[in-house]
Amino acid sequence: MSSSLSSFLPMLPVLFLLVLSCMIYSGSAQGPPSPGYYPSSKISPISFNQGFKNLWGPQHQRIDQGSLTIWLDTSTGSGFKSLHSYKSGYFGAAIKLQPGYTAGVITSLYLSNNQDHPGNHDEIDIEFLGTTPDKPYVLQTNVYIRGSGDGNIIGREMRFHLWFDPTQDFHNYAVLWKPSELIFFVDDVPIRRYPRKSEATYPTRPMYVYGSIWDASSWATEGGKYKADYRYQPFVGRYKNFRLQGCTSESSASCHPPSTSSGFGSLSPQQFRAMQWVQTNYMVYNYCHDPRRDHNLIPEC
């Protein structure tokens, strides 16, 4: 064996790892297949004041050049609420998350009727679970039907990593709530579809749209393993390009929410392929596949 070959052989494992890492990076960097239809492009963005008002923590809320910033420190977090309640529609915003240590902190955009039905409310959640610097953010989607805050909540969580760094730029996150289905979107790519299978497993009562940043150290990051560390305060969430289009509580029965796709039905085949790509590559938890759950309580699974 030549001396040059013998000196090259010990390098093979390192070269293999380099090639493999490049393949993984390039595969993930290309992003999901095109969904072919972009609901956010059909709905004009509105300013914060056109659609929302402060709910709590007004001293931790600032509007600057069309962008809303809310933050959490040891004194309080902050939250906002839509001016109207809705019975269906498209609800979204462009959100930019804070880098670094954010464990225990929730940044959210969600629908709820908790104030109208305390102890028996419905909820549709888009929640970013804070993280440690060595791990990616988790995007949690969730649906409650007639749940409460007393331990009787039956969550329907699906969690995802993202194919981009959500701290580097604004990205669009949205939910489309129709009488027949819920669809969650990230940059117009559907990541989850929740169909209406029965009255008992689907939210039908009017809800307001909310956003907030708050301390959920007891559960947010790896089941509460990592807590909010206020040495890194303030924890900041940034929102812009709010999109609210739907049927309010006062709308007539003829009102219909925006379309899911270019057709008249649910997701197109192209949108389904994009959703399957996300769920295959980036879904990290599905409540229907959790053996620890009592599946008698989640019959839709």
Side-chain angles (χ1 to χ4, degrees):
M1 183 184 296
S2 68
S3 58
S4 60
L5 182 58
S6 60
S7 61
F8 175 75
L9 287 175
M11 297 173 62
L12 282 175
V14 176
L15 290 171
F16 173 77
L17 289 174
L18 284 171
V19 171
L20 182 61
S21 65
C22 288
M23 290 172 63
I24 293 172
Y25 176 79
S26 62
S28 61
Q30 74 182 47
S34 168
Y37 183 77
Y38 301 89
S40 69
S41 68
K42 313 297 181 183
I43 301 169
S44 298
I46 61 171
S47 68
F48 175 78
N49 289 329
Q50 286 177 293
F52 296 91
K53 62 182 178 181
N54 174 263
L55 182 62
W56 57 282
Q59 70 275 32
H60 283 190
Q61 182 173 303
R62 182 180 68 248
I63 300 173
D64 182 37
Q65 296 182 340
S67 177
L68 170 74
T69 300
I70 57 175
W71 63 95
L72 164 72
D73 62 20
T74 51
S75 63
T76 186
S78 187
F80 55 91
K81 176 184 179 180
S82 63
L83 300 177
H84 303 283
S85 65
Y86 297 85
K87 52 190 177 182
S88 63
Y90 178 97
F91 313 100
I95 302 173
K96 183 178 180 181
L97 303 175
Q98 176 162 313
Y101 188 102
T102 57
V105 178
I106 298 288
T107 308
S108 67
L109 183 73
Y110 63 102
L111 291 93
S112 177
N113 50 31
N114 184 47
Q115 292 179 298
D116 293 330
H117 305 283
N120 185 34
H121 75 286
D122 308 298
E123 193 166 309
I124 303 168
D125 293 333
I126 297 172
E127 299 174 307
F128 299 96
L129 311 186
T131 189
T132 54
D134 59 325
K135 295 178 181 176
Y137 265 95
V138 172
L139 170 60
Q140 174 167 281
T141 64
N142 203 355
V143 184
Y144 299 144
I145 295 93
R146 300 181 185 273
S148 68
D150 60 4
N152 293 323
I153 281 181
I154 300 171
R156 292 165 167 83
E157 302 93 344
M158 286 178 66
R159 301 182 191 127
F160 303 83
H161 288 157
L162 296 164
W163 51 96
F164 53 82
D165 183 348
T167 71
Q168 294 299 302
D169 203 352
F170 285 89
H171 290 267
N172 291 307
Y173 306 91
V175 60
L176 179 59
W177 176 28
K178 300 170 65 178
S180 59
E181 63 185 351
L182 289 166
I183 299 174
F184 295 85
F185 295 91
V186 175
D187 286 339
D188 287 311
V189 176
I191 64 169
R192 177 183 183 179
R193 176 177 177 265
Y194 182 88
R196 178 175 180 168
K197 294 187 176 179
S198 73
E199 185 79 17
T201 63
Y202 198 79
T204 57
R205 298 177 296 177
M207 289 187 269
Y208 287 88
V209 186
Y210 297 85
S212 62
I213 189 166
W214 57 289
D215 186 333
S217 290
S218 62
W219 65 270
T221 306
E222 297 185 37
K225 180 180 179 181
Y226 298 99
K227 315 292 185 183
D229 187 339
Y230 287 95
R231 290 177 299 174
Y232 300 100
Q233 69 176 354
F235 301 103
V236 176
R238 295 181 173 86
Y239 300 72
K240 67 178 184 179
N241 293 345
F242 294 96
R243 288 179 168 86
L244 303 179
Q245 183 172 311
C247 302
T248 68
S249 301
E250 295 78 32
S251 298
S252 69
S254 61
C255 179
H256 297 287
S259 176
T260 309
S261 65
S262 55
F264 295 100
S266 183
L267 298 175
S268 69
Q270 191 171 351
Q271 287 174 306
F272 265 112
R273 284 194 294 272
M275 183 173 69
Q276 288 172 342
W277 182 91
V278 173
Q279 293 187 358
T280 298
N281 292 286
Y282 288 94
M283 186 168 66
V284 295
Y285 177 82
N286 183 342
Y287 76 107
C288 281
H289 300 159
D290 187 343
R292 299 166 297 179
R293 299 293 297 267
D294 181 351
H295 285 254
N296 292 318
L297 299 176
I298 44 177
E300 72 278 4
C301 290

